[in-house]
Amino acid sequence: MIILGIETSCDETAASICKDGKILSNTISRQLIHTEFGGVVPEIASREHETLLNSVVHATLLESEIELPELDAIAVTQGPGLAGTLLTGISFAKGLGIGLGIPVIPVNHLEGHIFANFLENQFLKFPFVCLLVSGGHTQLWSIKGMERYILLGETRDDAAGEAFDKGARILGLKYPGGPEIEKAALGGDSNKIDFPRSLLSKNSLEFSFSGLKTSLLYFMDDFKETETVKLKDVISSYQKAIVDTLVEKVKRALSITGYNRCVIAGGVAANKCLREQLDMILPTKEIIFPELSFCTDNAAMISYLGELKIKLGKCESLDFSANPNLKLI
Ligand code: KG4
Ligand code: ZN
């Protein structure tokens, strides 16, 4: 079975071909235009998708050496995401699907992130805890099987990715903040500044990052680099405060569920400090991360999950639209 995946939930225009569970191509065009605004401008993102989609799909077909008539179905991100950008991808997918006379399957972006872990690890076993950490979500899930998900906890305010993005803005770094903070923290002393870790009550699996962000804001108000405290120490300490919170909650979730395995999903899964700390703090647990290019938004996860959905007989009609607030359950 050959599936074309299309992903336009935010500012990445992405397309991919999945054939019988294997990714043949994974094409991503990052919209750099948003960097100058310090965040994604929805109207610009939709227009960019419209301009780029044709060539991104063309490039992914070319790389996988697949011709349009060979496609069996198209999988497209339905939500969550920005209404306009989702609509652009869905309209494109529907138009192409009707033209080719093949089904178009709506895919949940969050479920895509979770299943990105199967791309490199097809024998990954259920059940597992999933830490889903993206720009808009920070959630802990108990994943018992396909479509058998239980929410264990989520953030009360900012997502972890947002803590990186907003922190980066306070620190004078570019958007997206995660990779910028990671780079700028290199060589810094992460123990220099004791930023707050909001762990809430003893067994809580909820998160809160807004206090940490405010504390960075106040700290930077009168910060001047000295011989003993460099800016990279501040950045490294801030990154460590986010990571420590995530690691502690994963530890709690594994202990509460009794599972041995945790899968990390979403853009923040690309963070090296998070990867290292999880491995260090939980050496007896199986901690699984997607390959770096499958952490942040991509269409490989969409085409792969689309194929799984078809195999489960989930071929719906074209009667679906974008759902910016789509939930996992
Ligand atoms: O999953 P994703 O690409 O898009 C959403 O679905 O939101 O996640 C984007 C988020 C951004 O907040 C970005 O700053 C963060 O993931 N991110 C990172 C890293 N790479 C991306 N955060 C920390 N370290 C990274 N290396
Ligand atoms: Zn995402």
Side-chain angles (χ1 to χ4, degrees), residues 109 113 134-136 161-162 164-165 176-179 182 266-268 270-271 295-297:
H109 180 82
H113 273 305
S134 67
E162 244 177 315
F164 276 105
D165 295 336
E182 183 167 1
V268 180
N271 188 273
C295 289
T296 44
D297 289 349

Side-chain angles (χ1 to χ4, degrees), residues 7 9-10 12 80 109-110 113 132-137 266-267 295-298 301:
E7 154 64 36
S9 66
C10 193
E12 265 97 18
H109 180 82
L110 301 178
H113 273 305
L132 179 58
V133 267
S134 67
H137 292 80
C295 289
T296 44
D297 289 349
N298 65 84
M301 63 188 195

Side-chain angles (χ1 to χ4, degrees), residues 27-96:
T27 312
I28 304 173
S29 176
R30 297 217 155 75
Q31 301 178 3
L32 299 176
I33 188 164
H34 304 284
T35 313
E36 62 184 282
F37 301 103
V40 178
V41 184
E43 173 66 22
I44 296 178
S46 305
R47 286 167 191 256
E48 286 286 295
H49 285 310
E50 204 165 4
T51 313
L52 293 166
L53 261 171
N54 217 8
S55 55
V56 168
V57 167
H58 190 68
T60 220
L61 286 166
L62 212 65
E63 192 191 326
S64 56
E65 299 182 2
I66 296 290
E67 306 271 345
L68 277 176
E70 293 178 73
L71 294 179
D72 292 299
I74 302 171
V76 63
T77 304
Q78 183 183 19
L82 300 169
T85 62
L86 289 165
L87 259 179
T88 313
I90 291 173
S91 307
F92 183 96
K94 284 187 182 176
L96 189 56

